């Protein structure tokens, strides 16, 4: 029996204050939190496969076939590399992965609310339940896929979903379970300001990449229509191609961000940076129509975008502290957030592409982090150092120090004494004493 605040059950029980929640109820909430994302996610993957198969002109729809195909599909959603006929496919769409992360985070937050969690230790139970459920489920699917045309490594099927679910669950229980409060207590105000600005800078860089990708697609609309017409023979194929393009949109945004930052990306033999270009034939994916056919002289102008993000970081942190060194520390924290975030995203968006001329898809994560440190970190440090307030001198302005002030006081005392003597000497005759009456009679007798 565990004593918890019964805010979630208060309306049902009609009791205020602290009430015991049975262990069975606690286990039931944790079980629902662990199994909910698994059932929902697998059903969503199976529903998408069923929809595409049902509208495809040459496909045969069977329930068993759809459920069997959904097994490697669910693993691919959780970024588990899939081996298709002996060729490893590691560059997987990130959009369904983001949807799975949101689903897990909301489930974890709901469980934390029902259990009225207050401490990180209690929140760890929810994280362990969700992460453990994904690990066991992924391992089971990995073993079931053995020997099939689409197979996976059972060990990768075990730890990839577990790691993804753990990160999402921690994000879901961070506020309710006290994890965020612990973090805020351990981080000072300057570092916390740097963390927030780092998240803002990461979003700004991704927005710059999304803008570049959108401009490329708009300029290549005829090529997009041609690729759809060539590779989609019917409504089912068209729907599947559209969903595939939508799934890879986050990957394309991250690749465009790497291009804007300078390192660029490579699809096998194809390589693009703002300063270099090596072209070639591309896969028939309409999303890849945004790739240019030749270099352009204005591409180096795109490097202004990450520099602008660095200026934004510096301006947001120029008043983070009065001391310039503390402002540089805030810029360093923001730069670390940007570099680490883009390294993880670039590493997740690329990978093996099943062999052939387009293998691998390399977003140059290491070079991207170094470039962002230069563009964002150095630019932000210069703006924050010279754009913020500077502390004034501690001592008095002039040639006389504090220790000379007693001599000035002594001189002032001497001047006061001389002024008093001068006042006494300058007294008028009217203020002097008058002679007594006896003195006047004595003077008369002498005369």
């Amino acid at each position: 029996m565990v004593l918890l605040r019964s805010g979630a059950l208060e309306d049902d029980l009609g009791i205020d204050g602290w009430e015991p929640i049975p262990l069975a109820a606690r286990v039931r909430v944790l079980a629902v939190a662990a199994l909910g994302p698994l059932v929902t996610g697998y059903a969503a993957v199976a529903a998408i496969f069923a929809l595409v198969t049902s509208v495809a002109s040459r496909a045969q729809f069977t329930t068993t076939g759809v459920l069997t195909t959904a097994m490697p599909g669910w693993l691919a959603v959780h970024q588990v590399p899939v081996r298709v006929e002996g060729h490893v496919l590691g560059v997987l769409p990130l959009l369904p992965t983001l949807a799975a992360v949101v689903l897990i985070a909301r489930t974890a937050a709901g469980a934390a609310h029902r259990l009225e969690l207050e401490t990180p230790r209690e929140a760890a139970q929810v994280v362990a339940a969700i992460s453990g459920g994904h690990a066991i489920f992924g391992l089971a699917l990995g073993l079931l896929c053995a020997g099939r045309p689409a197979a996976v490594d059972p060990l990768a099927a075990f730890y990839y979903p577990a790691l993804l679910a753990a990160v999402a669950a921690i994000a879901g229980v961070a506020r309710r379970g006290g994890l965020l409060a612990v973090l805020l207590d351990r981080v000072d105000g300057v570092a916390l300001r740097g963390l927030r600005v780092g998240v803002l800078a990461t979003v700004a860089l991704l927005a710059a990449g999304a803008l570049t990708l959108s401009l490329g697609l708009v300029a290549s609309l005829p090529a997009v229509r041609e690729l759809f017409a060539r590779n989609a023979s019917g409504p089912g194929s068209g729907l599947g191609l559209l969903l595939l393009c939508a799934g890879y949109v986050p990957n394309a945004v991250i690749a465009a961000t790497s291009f804007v930052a300078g390192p660029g990306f490579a699809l096998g033999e194809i390589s693009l940076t703002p300063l270099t270009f090596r072209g070639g034939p591309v896969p028939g994916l309409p999303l890849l129509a945004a790739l240019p056919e030749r270099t352009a002289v204005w591409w180096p102008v795109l490097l202004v975008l990450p520099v602008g993000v660095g200026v934004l970081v510096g301006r947001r942190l120029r008043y983070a502290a009065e001391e310039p060194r503390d402002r540089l520390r805030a810029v360093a924290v923001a730069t670390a957030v940007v570099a680490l975030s883009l390294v993880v995203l670039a590493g997740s968006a690329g990978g093996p592409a099943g062999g052939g001329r387009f293998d691998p898809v390399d977003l140059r994560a290491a070079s991207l982090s170094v470039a962002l440190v230069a563009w964002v970190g150095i630019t932000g440090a210069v703006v924050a150092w010279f754009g913020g307030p500077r502390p004034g001198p501690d001592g008095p302005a002039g040639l006389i120090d504090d220790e000379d002030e007693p001599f000035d006081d002594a001189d002032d005392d001497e001047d006061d004494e001389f002024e008093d003597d001068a006042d006494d000497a300058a007294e008028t005759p009217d203020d002097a004493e008058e002679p007594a009456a006896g003195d006047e009679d004595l003077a008369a007798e002498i005369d």
Side-chain angles (χ1 to χ4, degrees):
M1 183 114 18
V2 182
L3 291 179
L4 293 172
R5 240 195 334 254
S6 59
L9 303 177
E10 207 172 273
D11 297 336
D12 298 336
L13 299 179
I15 303 175
D16 297 332
W18 292 78
E19 292 295 334
I21 294 181
L23 181 60
R26 185 183 185 85
V27 172
R28 183 168 59 253
V29 172
L30 294 176
V32 171
L35 296 177
L38 301 177
V39 176
T40 304
Y42 194 86
V45 173
I48 293 175
F49 283 144
L51 176 62
V52 174
T53 305
S54 62
V55 299
S57 56
R58 300 180 181 179
Q60 184 178 0
F61 175 82
T62 61
T63 304
T64 304
V66 169
L67 294 178
T68 303
T69 308
M71 290 191 298
W74 186 91
L75 293 172
V77 167
H78 292 78
Q79 295 297 305
V80 180
V82 181
R83 190 184 305 107
V84 182
E85 299 293 343
H87 301 284
V88 178
L89 180 61
V91 51
L92 301 169
L94 286 178
L95 184 61
T97 303
L98 295 177
V101 168
V102 173
L103 174 63
I104 296 171
R106 290 180 62 87
T107 303
H113 176 71
R114 292 183 181 90
L115 295 175
E116 293 288 335
L117 302 184
E118 292 184 346
T119 64
R121 179 174 297 182
E122 295 174 350
Q125 299 176 3
V126 177
V127 175
I130 296 177
S131 177
H134 278 73
I136 296 174
F137 191 68
L139 178 60
L141 293 182
L143 295 175
L144 291 175
C145 290
R148 297 181 180 273
V152 298
D153 182 8
L155 183 60
F158 175 81
Y159 64 79
Y160 269 98
L163 179 61
L164 188 70
V167 173
I170 289 174
V173 302
R175 182 180 297 274
R176 184 75 188 190
L179 298 176
L180 187 60
V182 172
L183 177 63
L184 295 179
D185 291 339
R186 295 179 179 271
V187 177
D188 61 349
V190 175
L192 182 60
R193 184 77 176 272
L195 286 173
R196 293 174 176 172
V197 174
V199 174
L200 175 64
T202 303
V203 174
L205 286 170
L206 293 175
L211 176 62
T212 304
L213 175 64
S214 301
L215 293 177
L217 287 174
V218 170
S220 305
L221 283 179
V224 173
R225 288 195 296 265
E226 181 182 355
L227 288 175
F228 265 109
R230 182 189 307 171
N231 299 305
S233 57
S237 301
L239 178 60
L241 198 59
L242 179 62
L243 293 176
L244 187 62
C245 290
Y248 277 104
V249 165
N251 304 62
V253 169
I254 298 170
T257 303
S258 182
F259 177 76
V260 167
F265 58 92
L267 281 76
E269 301 175 355
I270 303 173
S271 177
L272 285 87
T273 71
L275 303 178
T276 62
F277 175 78
R278 185 173 68 246
V282 297
L285 189 65
L287 184 63
L288 296 179
L291 294 177
E293 297 180 356
R294 61 184 64 88
T295 186
V297 295
W298 57 269
W299 283 358
V301 179
L302 293 174
L303 297 176
V304 175
L305 295 177
V307 174
V309 174
V311 174
L312 173 65
V313 170
R315 290 184 62 85
R316 294 299 295 262
L317 294 177
R318 59 178 176 168
Y319 296 115
E322 184 178 358
E323 292 292 336
R325 292 182 179 179
D326 292 336
R327 297 199 294 270
L328 291 185
R329 182 163 60 90
V331 172
V333 172
T335 305
V337 172
V338 171
L340 182 60
S341 301
L342 268 299
V343 161
V344 173
L345 292 176
S348 302
R357 65 176 64 181
F358 309 115
D359 183 41
V361 177
D362 185 11
L363 272 62
R364 298 165 181 167
S367 301
L368 178 59
S369 64
V370 176
L372 291 177
V373 169
W375 298 128
V376 178
I378 296 178
T379 306
V382 172
V383 175
W385 179 277
F386 294 102
R390 304 183 66 86
D394 296 334
L399 300 178
I400 301 177
D401 296 332
D402 292 341
E403 56 269 14
D404 296 334
E405 290 183 358
F407 296 98
D408 297 338
D409 296 339
D411 294 338
D412 293 340
D413 295 339
E414 294 178 358
D415 293 340
D416 294 339
E417 293 178 359
F418 285 123
E419 290 177 359
D420 294 340
D421 295 340
D423 293 339
D424 294 340
E427 289 181 353
T428 58
D430 295 338
D431 296 336
E433 292 183 0
E434 295 182 358
D439 294 336
E440 293 178 356
D441 297 339
L442 179 59
E445 290 177 358
I446 294 175
D447 292 337

